[in-house]
């Protein structure tokens, strides 16, 4: 609390002082931004789709939960450090490439296995594309009008961006966008469920609420969404209102769950780009040399940051020799421990660490 | 009955069965997460294993910005959650024993999870189940106490923590021969 007050004083920021907490401020700004965007997008609320009202409430509750979690998390010392330093380095030349590899193409998941990569691309992109279609519709940022001549107008932010034939490819793709993404998500979730039943690591660690619940929710959202289409086309709309409610309900529950369960990685993951920038930038600034063997094993900055973070947690590992344990490279740190056990200074013997990898 | 991993370091004969066994644990994906070191490689053959000691206040988890390292209700400090680890490697710098390993290709930290799929049901971890020299044992606190009586140390040194370790740990480490002044192998 004191720290917060000090920050406010230092910056002398009246906007910050006007709010009881970061939470209140972020919440207020987002809801205002949403309202303004909707106001413009719907041409002063003349094109609001009231069927989508539930989503609007759901989104606002979601934003509340999201800020609550994100702010609590950002206050943790190590998180705060990476966020603060990482954001400053956001303009590095490598940022676009790292972002694409980490957030869009998931190269690192590919290296964990093609199955896991396929599964994640289907779920992840299925969801992202769905959101790109749904949210603009919900908040009126995008809607369609039909001319007499069988052409659709796609209106974004109140401006006509495209006119397409009602039976053309683009029109068909946009009517079916949510059906296609639903199929993607269903396929991906089935792959994930299958892996969760077979893979030993997954089986050991998984919990119903953390690991299965989000998968079932995604499944429910996609299946009820597809069912809506099915009812429209084959049942002439029979049962549609009920199904529509179930679908809305499942989306809202998923949104509210998102900040608290496994799906919280979606808003948090972009931090991996910050972490990569942080490591690359400070590695260029200067590398730390191991106090024992002199190998460069981490950036000076990160070594110092970790020592500080541990200090905040009241952990301090000082070696008898006076330096911090984090100032030794990993093999030396391990040998140093053997030396503490045996009484013989193993870490000082100039012999490279023996192979420690047993290939199974 | 809660059991814990108990190490009698000087029994180690350097067979590295524990490394091989570690690769075979369900979900370890054929990569071992433990170590075996020569104590004085140019002079004799004494070896000692080193593995995660599952600290009660784990530095690895405290330094993780993503909260990817979870502590299981059994006290085991788990490997990084695959969807949370952002690859910053803070944990490898923080751990006082240099235990966490990092896979750059997968952008993922992995470490000993005490074979949680086994130990959560009271079954011994892989390493202890194969160790031929009783260096790695899976014991109840009572059994560890009985060992203490058996060794009858009068110098007050028993299951080691400080000054050999940096803090309290769930895994117990001991060197009964060395602490009693009985030289076994070296
Ligand atoms: C911001 C980009 C994203 C990144 C960097 C990311 C990253 C990851 C990673 C690394 C995993 C672990 C995969 C593994 O090792 O097997 C994962 C799992 C998962 N992701 Fe994402 N993700 C992203 C977006 C999304 C989105 C938009 C969704 C849609 C809801 C999603 C849903 C899931 C699910 C359901 C799992 C768990 C799969 C399982 O049960 O094993 N992710 N994610
Ligand atoms: S020994 Fe290292 S890796 Fe294991 S719990 Fe302690 S700090 Fe974490
Ligand atoms: S490498 Fe992964 S597990 Fe380790 S501190 Fe960073 S985010 Fe956490």
């Amino acid at each position: 609390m004191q720290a917060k007050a000090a920050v406010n004083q230092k910056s002398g920021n009246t906007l910050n002082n006007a709010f009881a907490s970061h939470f209140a401020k972020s919440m207020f700004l987002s809801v205002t931004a949403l309202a303004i965007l909707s106001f413009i997008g719907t041409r002063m609320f003349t094109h609001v789709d009231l069927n989508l009202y539930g989503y609007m409430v759901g989104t606002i509750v979601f934003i509340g939960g999201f800020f609550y979690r994100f702010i609590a998390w950002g206050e943790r010392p190590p998180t705060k450090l990476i966020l603060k330093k990482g954001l400053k380095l956001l303009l590095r030349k490598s940022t676009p490439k790292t972002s694409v590899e980490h957030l869009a193409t998931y190269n690192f998941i590919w290296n964990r296995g093609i199955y896991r990569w396929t599964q994640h691309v289907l779920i992840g992109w299925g969801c992202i594309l769905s959101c790109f279609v749904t949210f603009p519709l919900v908040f009126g940022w995008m809607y369609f009008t039909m001319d007499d001549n069988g052409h659709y107008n796609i209106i974004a932010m109140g401006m006509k961006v495209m006119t397409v034939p009602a039976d053309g490819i683009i029109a068909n793709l946009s009517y079916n966008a949510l059906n296609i993404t639903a199929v993607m998500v269903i396929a991906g979730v089935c792959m994930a469920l299958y892996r969760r039943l077979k893979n030993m690591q997954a089986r050991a660690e998984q919990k119903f609420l953390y690991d299965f619940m989000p998968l079932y929710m995604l499944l429910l959202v996609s299946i009820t969404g597809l069912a809506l289409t099915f009812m429209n086309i084959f049942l002439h709309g029979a049962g549609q209102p009920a199904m529509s409610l179930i679908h809305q309900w499942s989306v809202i529950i998923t949104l509210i769950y998102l900040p608290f369960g496994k799906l919280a990685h979606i808003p948090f993951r972009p931090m991996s780009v910050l972490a990569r920038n942080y490591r690359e930038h400070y590695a260029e600034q200067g590398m730390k040399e191991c106090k024992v063997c002199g190998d460069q094993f981490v950036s000076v900055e990160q070594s110092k940051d970790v020592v500080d973070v541990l200090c905040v947690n009241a952990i301090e590992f000082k070696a008898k020799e006076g330096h911090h344990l984090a100032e030794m490279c990993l093999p030396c740190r391990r040998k140093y421990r053997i030396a503490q056990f045996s009484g013989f200074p193993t870490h000082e013997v100039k012999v490279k660490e023996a192979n420690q990898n047993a290939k199974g | 009955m809660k059991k814990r991993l108990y190490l009698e370091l000087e029994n180690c004969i350097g067979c590295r069965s524990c490394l091989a066994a570690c690769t075979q644990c369900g979900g370890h994906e054929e990569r071992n997460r433990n170590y075996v070191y020569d104590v004085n490689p140019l002079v004799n053959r004494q070896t000692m294993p080193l593995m995660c000691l599952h600290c009660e206040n784990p530095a690895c988890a405290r330094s993780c910005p993503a909260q990817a390292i979870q502590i299981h209700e059994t006290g085991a400090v788990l490997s990084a959650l695959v969807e949370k680890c952002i690859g910053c490697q803070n944990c490898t710098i923080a751990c006082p024993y240099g235990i966490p390993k990092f896979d750059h290709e997968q952008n993922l930290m992995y470490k000993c999870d005490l074979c949680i799929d086994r130990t959560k049901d009271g079954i011994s971890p892989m390493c202890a189940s194969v160790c031929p020299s009783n260096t790695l044992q899976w014991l109840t606190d009572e059994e560890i106490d009985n060992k203490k009586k058996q060794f009858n140390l009068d110098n007050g040194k028993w299951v080691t923590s400080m000054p050999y370790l940096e803090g309290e740990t769930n895994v117990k480490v001991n060197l009964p021969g060395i602490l009693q002044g009985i030289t076994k192998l070296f």
Side-chain angles (χ1 to χ4, degrees):
Chain A
M1 211 44 239
Q2 252 176 357
K4 221 180 257 168
V7 170
N8 283 349
Q9 263 169 13
K10 199 173 68 196
S11 60
N13 190 335
T14 43
L15 186 62
N16 268 336
N17 292 334
F19 291 94
S21 64
H22 289 300
F23 173 72
K25 187 177 93 187
S26 314
M27 191 70 199
F28 175 77
L29 291 179
S30 326
V31 173
T32 314
L34 272 182
I36 294 175
L37 280 174
S38 306
F39 180 76
I40 303 171
T42 55
R43 295 190 185 158
M44 304 185 194
F45 297 123
T46 49
H47 285 86
V48 183
D49 190 341
L50 283 180
N51 277 326
L52 303 175
Y53 182 67
Y55 296 129
M56 208 180 281
V57 175
T59 311
I60 289 171
V61 175
F62 157 74
I63 293 177
F66 170 71
F67 280 125
Y68 173 73
R69 269 280 284 157
F70 207 102
I71 289 168
W73 177 72
E75 289 292 323
R76 297 179 71 250
T79 319
K80 204 172 186 168
L81 252 170
I82 298 256
L83 282 177
K84 216 171 83 196
K85 299 199 173 170
L87 283 174
K88 277 197 204 127
L89 299 172
L90 210 53
L91 293 178
R92 268 179 75 78
K93 271 210 284 305
S94 59
T95 304
K97 182 164 176 281
T98 313
S99 306
V100 169
E101 285 176 358
H102 281 196
L103 304 178
T105 58
Y106 313 129
N107 299 18
F108 62 101
I109 306 186
W110 176 274
N111 296 331
R112 297 178 190 182
I114 296 172
Y115 186 94
R116 285 160 79 171
W117 180 82
T118 315
Q119 160 193 318
H120 198 274
V121 165
L122 287 173
I123 303 179
W125 276 104
C127 290
I128 294 173
L129 291 176
S130 310
C131 291
F132 275 159
V133 177
T134 314
F135 283 85
L137 290 179
V138 169
F139 290 100
W141 301 337
M142 183 174 87
Y143 55 85
F144 302 95
T145 57
M146 191 157 185
D147 294 342
D148 294 336
N149 55 7
H151 277 65
Y152 260 116
N153 297 315
I154 300 177
I155 318 270
M157 293 317 287
M159 286 173 295
K160 188 151 88 175
V161 285
M162 225 193 302
T163 304
V164 293
D167 51 1
I169 297 177
I170 296 187
N172 264 308
L173 270 182
S174 20
Y175 313 146
N176 284 315
L178 286 177
N179 296 331
I180 299 168
T181 54
V183 171
M184 284 170 73
V185 173
I186 291 174
V189 167
C190 288
M191 288 176 79
L193 283 173
Y194 181 76
R195 196 179 82 90
R196 296 219 153 267
L197 296 178
K198 292 283 173 204
N199 179 279
M200 295 307 278
Q201 179 78 18
R203 278 169 55 171
E205 290 174 358
Q206 65 200 3
K207 297 219 171 58
F208 179 79
L209 269 182
Y210 189 77
D211 296 290
F212 279 105
M213 165 93 162
L215 293 177
Y216 290 140
M217 285 316 297
L218 289 176
L219 206 55
L220 189 64
V221 170
S222 318
I223 289 179
T224 51
L226 272 187
L228 277 176
T229 310
F230 178 82
M231 287 171 160
N232 276 343
I233 298 178
F234 297 103
L235 306 178
H236 307 289
Q240 227 245 16
M243 189 54 74
S244 167
L245 266 186
I246 302 179
H247 182 65
Q248 271 199 31
W249 176 84
S250 61
V251 173
I252 293 168
I253 298 286
T254 310
L255 275 181
I256 294 173
Y257 167 88
L258 195 146
F260 301 99
K262 180 172 223 169
L263 296 181
H265 77 275
I266 303 167
F268 293 166
R269 264 319 283 212
M271 208 173 60
S272 73
V273 179
L274 303 190
R276 174 59 60 91
N277 280 355
Y278 167 82
R279 278 188 63 84
E280 285 175 355
H281 174 78
Y282 288 109
E284 286 162 12
Q285 299 292 306
M287 291 296 279
K288 182 96 191 161
E289 282 176 5
C290 169
K291 287 283 181 195
V292 176
C293 68
D295 270 3
Q296 302 188 329
F297 67 103
V298 70
S299 67
V300 176
E301 185 82 7
Q302 188 174 7
S303 162
K304 191 176 126 308
D305 284 346
V306 172
V307 172
D308 290 348
V309 161
L310 290 182
C311 236
V312 175
N313 281 294
I315 303 179
E316 197 180 13
F317 300 133
K318 269 263 192 305
K320 286 197 298 286
E321 293 77 356
H323 53 79
H324 198 282
L325 289 179
E327 296 179 283
M328 285 190 264
C329 73
L330 298 175
C332 285
R333 213 181 307 158
R334 294 189 286 258
K335 290 185 201 160
Y336 181 82
R337 189 53 42 187
I338 297 291
Q340 304 314 300
F341 290 142
S342 65
F344 176 83
T346 308
H347 56 294
E348 284 168 12
V349 181
K350 295 263 175 285
V351 172
K352 197 174 159 285
E353 173 183 62
N355 175 30
Q356 294 291 344
N357 292 316
K359 278 267 155 39
Chain B
M1 193 65 212
K2 183 176 157 44
K3 295 195 174 192
R4 52 171 94 241
L5 187 60
Y6 164 78
L7 281 59
E8 260 171 30
L9 291 174
E10 76 233 38
N11 291 353
C12 179
I13 54 173
C15 67
R16 291 170 172 80
S17 303
C18 49
L19 302 194
C22 187
T23 63
Q24 296 304 305
C25 184
H28 282 196
E29 296 182 335
E30 315 213 328
R31 295 186 299 187
N32 62 296
R33 292 138 187 239
N34 44 7
Y35 307 84
V36 171
Y37 280 96
D38 296 305
V39 174
N40 189 356
L42 301 176
V43 175
N44 61 38
R45 304 300 306 150
Q46 178 68 47
T47 51
M48 285 183 184
L50 186 66
M51 45 240 335
C52 173
L53 299 177
H54 298 275
C55 306
E56 285 179 3
N57 184 17
C60 55
R62 298 285 171 257
S63 70
C64 174
Q67 289 180 314
I69 305 173
Q70 302 277 314
I71 303 170
H72 193 260
E73 63 217 31
T74 59
V77 180
L78 300 181
S79 192
L81 287 176
V82 291
E83 81 281 0
K84 279 198 180 165
C85 174
I86 55 165
C88 68
Q89 297 167 53
N90 268 3
C91 51
T92 64
I93 306 302
C95 171
Y97 317 121
I99 302 297
K101 296 187 170 191
F102 191 77
D103 186 315
H104 291 269
E105 254 68 62
Q106 303 186 359
N107 203 27
L108 178 66
M109 180 281 270
Y110 62 106
K111 68 176 277 297
C112 167
D113 56 358
L114 208 62
C115 300
I116 195 64
D117 56 335
R118 299 164 61 88
T119 51
K120 76 174 190 308
D121 298 324
I123 307 169
S124 83
M126 292 299 268
C127 51
S129 73
V130 297
C131 179
S133 64
N134 268 350
T135 306
L136 308 166
Q137 305 181 36
W138 181 243
L139 301 178
T140 61
D141 283 338
E142 196 188 351
E143 287 167 317
I144 296 178
D145 269 350
N146 285 340
K147 281 192 171 285
K148 181 173 182 173
K149 290 194 192 105
Q150 176 193 333
F151 283 112
N152 195 20
L153 298 183
D154 57 5
N155 54 7
K157 285 180 177 171
W158 168 245
V159 173
T160 62
S161 169
M162 316 296 254
Y164 301 92
L165 301 179
E166 301 297 327
E168 290 305 322
T169 58
N170 281 301
V171 175
K172 296 298 174 194
V173 185
N174 196 19
L175 304 110
I178 292 176
L179 295 182
Q180 281 183 104
I182 303 169
T183 312
K184 284 163 103 181
L185 261 172
F186 74 104

